[in-house]
Short mmCIF file of all heavy atoms in Angstrom, two decimals:
data_model
loop_
_atom_site.label_atom_id
_atom_site.label_comp_id
_atom_site.label_asym_id
_atom_site.label_seq_id
_atom_site.Cartn_x
_atom_site.Cartn_y
_atom_site.Cartn_z
N ALA A 1 -25.07 82.58 -40.33
CA ALA A 1 -24.12 82.22 -41.38
C ALA A 1 -23.56 80.81 -41.21
O ALA A 1 -23.11 80.21 -42.18
CB ALA A 1 -22.96 83.21 -41.41
N ASP A 2 -23.59 80.25 -39.98
CA ASP A 2 -23.01 78.92 -39.79
C ASP A 2 -23.64 78.27 -38.55
O ASP A 2 -24.42 78.88 -37.82
CB ASP A 2 -21.49 78.98 -39.66
CG ASP A 2 -21.02 79.97 -38.58
OD1 ASP A 2 -21.68 80.03 -37.51
OD2 ASP A 2 -20.03 80.67 -38.81
N LYS A 3 -23.25 77.02 -38.32
CA LYS A 3 -23.82 76.25 -37.21
C LYS A 3 -23.39 76.81 -35.85
O LYS A 3 -24.13 76.69 -34.88
CB LYS A 3 -23.43 74.78 -37.35
CG LYS A 3 -24.12 74.07 -38.49
CD LYS A 3 -23.88 72.57 -38.46
CE LYS A 3 -22.52 72.23 -38.99
NZ LYS A 3 -22.33 70.77 -39.16
N ALA A 4 -22.20 77.39 -35.78
CA ALA A 4 -21.76 77.98 -34.51
C ALA A 4 -22.69 79.11 -34.08
O ALA A 4 -23.01 79.27 -32.90
CB ALA A 4 -20.33 78.48 -34.63
N GLN A 5 -23.15 79.90 -35.05
CA GLN A 5 -24.08 80.97 -34.73
C GLN A 5 -25.44 80.40 -34.30
O GLN A 5 -26.09 80.95 -33.40
CB GLN A 5 -24.24 81.90 -35.93
CG GLN A 5 -22.99 82.72 -36.23
CD GLN A 5 -23.20 83.69 -37.38
OE1 GLN A 5 -24.22 83.66 -38.06
NE2 GLN A 5 -22.22 84.56 -37.60
N LEU A 6 -25.85 79.33 -34.94
CA LEU A 6 -27.09 78.67 -34.51
C LEU A 6 -26.98 78.22 -33.07
O LEU A 6 -27.93 78.36 -32.28
CB LEU A 6 -27.41 77.50 -35.43
CG LEU A 6 -28.63 76.64 -35.05
CD1 LEU A 6 -29.91 77.48 -35.00
CD2 LEU A 6 -28.79 75.49 -36.04
N ASP A 7 -25.81 77.67 -32.70
CA ASP A 7 -25.61 77.24 -31.32
C ASP A 7 -25.72 78.41 -30.34
O ASP A 7 -26.14 78.23 -29.20
CB ASP A 7 -24.24 76.56 -31.18
CG ASP A 7 -24.19 75.20 -31.84
OD1 ASP A 7 -25.26 74.61 -32.06
OD2 ASP A 7 -23.08 74.73 -32.16
N ALA A 8 -25.33 79.60 -30.79
CA ALA A 8 -25.42 80.77 -29.92
C ALA A 8 -26.87 81.12 -29.60
O ALA A 8 -27.16 81.72 -28.56
CB ALA A 8 -24.73 81.97 -30.58
N PHE A 9 -27.79 80.73 -30.48
CA PHE A 9 -29.21 80.99 -30.26
C PHE A 9 -29.90 79.84 -29.51
O PHE A 9 -31.08 79.94 -29.18
CB PHE A 9 -29.92 81.16 -31.62
CG PHE A 9 -29.83 82.55 -32.19
CD1 PHE A 9 -28.77 82.92 -32.99
CD2 PHE A 9 -30.81 83.49 -31.92
CE1 PHE A 9 -28.68 84.19 -33.52
CE2 PHE A 9 -30.74 84.77 -32.45
CZ PHE A 9 -29.67 85.12 -33.26
N ALA A 10 -29.18 78.74 -29.27
CA ALA A 10 -29.82 77.50 -28.84
C ALA A 10 -30.66 77.64 -27.58
O ALA A 10 -31.75 77.07 -27.49
CB ALA A 10 -28.76 76.41 -28.65
N THR A 11 -30.17 78.40 -26.59
CA THR A 11 -30.91 78.50 -25.33
C THR A 11 -32.09 79.46 -25.41
O THR A 11 -32.87 79.55 -24.47
CB THR A 11 -29.97 78.96 -24.19
OG1 THR A 11 -29.41 80.23 -24.54
CG2 THR A 11 -28.85 77.96 -23.98
N LEU A 12 -32.21 80.17 -26.54
CA LEU A 12 -33.26 81.17 -26.68
C LEU A 12 -34.45 80.67 -27.48
O LEU A 12 -35.56 81.19 -27.33
CB LEU A 12 -32.70 82.43 -27.37
CG LEU A 12 -31.38 82.99 -26.83
CD1 LEU A 12 -30.97 84.20 -27.67
CD2 LEU A 12 -31.50 83.34 -25.37
N LEU A 13 -34.24 79.66 -28.33
CA LEU A 13 -35.26 79.26 -29.29
C LEU A 13 -36.20 78.20 -28.73
O LEU A 13 -35.82 77.40 -27.87
CB LEU A 13 -34.60 78.71 -30.56
CG LEU A 13 -33.71 79.68 -31.34
CD1 LEU A 13 -33.06 78.96 -32.52
CD2 LEU A 13 -34.52 80.87 -31.83
N PRO A 14 -37.43 78.12 -29.25
CA PRO A 14 -38.34 77.05 -28.87
C PRO A 14 -37.76 75.69 -29.28
O PRO A 14 -37.11 75.57 -30.33
CB PRO A 14 -39.62 77.37 -29.67
CG PRO A 14 -39.51 78.82 -30.02
CD PRO A 14 -38.06 79.10 -30.17
N GLU A 15 -37.99 74.69 -28.46
CA GLU A 15 -37.33 73.39 -28.63
C GLU A 15 -37.61 72.75 -29.99
O GLU A 15 -36.68 72.32 -30.69
CB GLU A 15 -37.76 72.44 -27.51
CG GLU A 15 -37.10 71.08 -27.59
CD GLU A 15 -37.40 70.22 -26.38
OE1 GLU A 15 -37.31 70.74 -25.25
OE2 GLU A 15 -37.73 69.05 -26.56
N ASP A 16 -38.89 72.65 -30.39
CA ASP A 16 -39.20 71.99 -31.66
C ASP A 16 -38.60 72.75 -32.84
O ASP A 16 -38.08 72.15 -33.79
CB ASP A 16 -40.72 71.86 -31.84
CG ASP A 16 -41.33 70.82 -30.92
OD1 ASP A 16 -40.55 70.11 -30.25
OD2 ASP A 16 -42.56 70.73 -30.86
N GLN A 17 -38.65 74.08 -32.79
CA GLN A 17 -38.11 74.87 -33.88
C GLN A 17 -36.58 74.78 -33.92
O GLN A 17 -35.98 74.71 -35.01
CB GLN A 17 -38.56 76.33 -33.75
CG GLN A 17 -40.08 76.50 -33.85
CD GLN A 17 -40.50 77.96 -33.91
OE1 GLN A 17 -40.01 78.70 -34.75
NE2 GLN A 17 -41.41 78.36 -33.04
N LEU A 18 -35.95 74.75 -32.76
CA LEU A 18 -34.50 74.59 -32.71
C LEU A 18 -34.09 73.26 -33.33
O LEU A 18 -33.12 73.18 -34.10
CB LEU A 18 -34.02 74.68 -31.27
CG LEU A 18 -32.54 74.38 -31.04
CD1 LEU A 18 -31.66 75.40 -31.75
CD2 LEU A 18 -32.22 74.34 -29.54
N GLU A 19 -34.84 72.20 -33.00
CA GLU A 19 -34.47 70.89 -33.55
C GLU A 19 -34.64 70.87 -35.07
O GLU A 19 -33.82 70.28 -35.79
CB GLU A 19 -35.31 69.79 -32.90
CG GLU A 19 -34.79 68.41 -33.24
CD GLU A 19 -35.45 67.31 -32.43
OE1 GLU A 19 -36.25 67.62 -31.52
OE2 GLU A 19 -35.18 66.14 -32.72
N VAL A 20 -35.68 71.49 -35.58
CA VAL A 20 -35.85 71.59 -37.03
C VAL A 20 -34.63 72.27 -37.66
O VAL A 20 -34.07 71.79 -38.66
CB VAL A 20 -37.14 72.37 -37.37
CG1 VAL A 20 -37.12 72.85 -38.82
CG2 VAL A 20 -38.37 71.49 -37.13
N LEU A 21 -34.21 73.38 -37.10
CA LEU A 21 -33.08 74.11 -37.65
C LEU A 21 -31.78 73.32 -37.55
O LEU A 21 -30.94 73.35 -38.46
CB LEU A 21 -32.93 75.46 -36.95
CG LEU A 21 -34.10 76.44 -37.15
CD1 LEU A 21 -33.87 77.72 -36.34
CD2 LEU A 21 -34.28 76.78 -38.63
N HIS A 22 -31.62 72.59 -36.45
CA HIS A 22 -30.42 71.77 -36.31
C HIS A 22 -30.39 70.66 -37.38
O HIS A 22 -29.34 70.39 -37.97
CB HIS A 22 -30.35 71.15 -34.92
CG HIS A 22 -29.70 72.03 -33.90
ND1 HIS A 22 -28.49 72.64 -34.10
CD2 HIS A 22 -30.10 72.41 -32.65
CE1 HIS A 22 -28.15 73.35 -33.04
NE2 HIS A 22 -29.11 73.23 -32.15
N TYR A 23 -31.50 70.01 -37.61
CA TYR A 23 -31.56 68.97 -38.64
C TYR A 23 -31.21 69.55 -40.00
O TYR A 23 -30.42 68.98 -40.77
CB TYR A 23 -32.95 68.35 -38.67
CG TYR A 23 -33.11 67.13 -37.80
CD1 TYR A 23 -32.90 67.20 -36.42
CD2 TYR A 23 -33.49 65.91 -38.33
CE1 TYR A 23 -33.06 66.09 -35.61
CE2 TYR A 23 -33.66 64.79 -37.53
CZ TYR A 23 -33.44 64.89 -36.16
OH TYR A 23 -33.59 63.79 -35.37
N LEU A 24 -31.81 70.68 -40.34
CA LEU A 24 -31.53 71.31 -41.63
C LEU A 24 -30.05 71.70 -41.73
O LEU A 24 -29.42 71.53 -42.79
CB LEU A 24 -32.41 72.54 -41.82
CG LEU A 24 -33.92 72.29 -41.98
CD1 LEU A 24 -34.68 73.60 -41.95
CD2 LEU A 24 -34.23 71.53 -43.27
N ALA A 25 -29.49 72.20 -40.65
CA ALA A 25 -28.09 72.60 -40.65
C ALA A 25 -27.15 71.42 -40.83
O ALA A 25 -26.04 71.57 -41.36
CB ALA A 25 -27.75 73.34 -39.35
N GLU A 26 -27.57 70.23 -40.41
CA GLU A 26 -26.76 69.03 -40.57
C GLU A 26 -26.89 68.43 -41.97
O GLU A 26 -26.27 67.42 -42.27
CB GLU A 26 -27.14 67.98 -39.52
CG GLU A 26 -26.77 68.36 -38.10
CD GLU A 26 -25.27 68.39 -37.86
OE1 GLU A 26 -24.53 67.83 -38.69
OE2 GLU A 26 -24.84 69.00 -36.86
N GLY A 27 -27.72 69.03 -42.81
CA GLY A 27 -27.83 68.56 -44.19
C GLY A 27 -29.01 67.67 -44.48
O GLY A 27 -29.14 67.16 -45.60
N PHE A 28 -29.90 67.47 -43.50
CA PHE A 28 -31.09 66.66 -43.75
C PHE A 28 -32.09 67.47 -44.58
O PHE A 28 -32.25 68.67 -44.38
CB PHE A 28 -31.73 66.22 -42.43
CG PHE A 28 -30.88 65.27 -41.64
CD1 PHE A 28 -30.07 65.73 -40.62
CD2 PHE A 28 -30.88 63.91 -41.92
CE1 PHE A 28 -29.26 64.87 -39.90
CE2 PHE A 28 -30.09 63.03 -41.20
CZ PHE A 28 -29.27 63.51 -40.19
N GLY A 29 -32.77 66.80 -45.51
CA GLY A 29 -33.75 67.48 -46.35
C GLY A 29 -35.03 67.80 -45.60
O GLY A 29 -35.34 67.18 -44.58
N PRO A 30 -35.81 68.77 -46.10
CA PRO A 30 -37.07 69.13 -45.43
C PRO A 30 -38.02 67.95 -45.25
O PRO A 30 -38.72 67.88 -44.23
CB PRO A 30 -37.66 70.19 -46.37
CG PRO A 30 -36.47 70.79 -47.06
CD PRO A 30 -35.52 69.65 -47.23
N GLU A 31 -38.06 67.04 -46.22
CA GLU A 31 -38.96 65.88 -46.09
C GLU A 31 -38.54 65.02 -44.91
O GLU A 31 -39.39 64.54 -44.13
CB GLU A 31 -38.96 65.05 -47.38
CG GLU A 31 -39.52 65.79 -48.59
CD GLU A 31 -38.47 66.70 -49.23
OE1 GLU A 31 -37.28 66.68 -48.80
OE2 GLU A 31 -38.83 67.44 -50.16
N ASP A 32 -37.22 64.77 -44.77
CA ASP A 32 -36.73 63.98 -43.64
C ASP A 32 -37.02 64.68 -42.32
O ASP A 32 -37.40 64.04 -41.33
CB ASP A 32 -35.23 63.74 -43.77
CG ASP A 32 -34.87 62.86 -44.95
OD1 ASP A 32 -35.71 62.03 -45.35
OD2 ASP A 32 -33.75 63.02 -45.48
N VAL A 33 -36.84 65.99 -42.29
CA VAL A 33 -37.07 66.74 -41.06
C VAL A 33 -38.55 66.70 -40.68
O VAL A 33 -38.90 66.52 -39.51
CB VAL A 33 -36.59 68.20 -41.21
CG1 VAL A 33 -36.89 68.99 -39.95
CG2 VAL A 33 -35.11 68.24 -41.51
#
């Protein structure tokens, strides 16, 4: 539901996929990501 919850998953997720999700959560568009 929010970025705080994404942070709770941070140590569990694959690095490249986590970075994609962080970029999207910060408001960057899919093309930029």
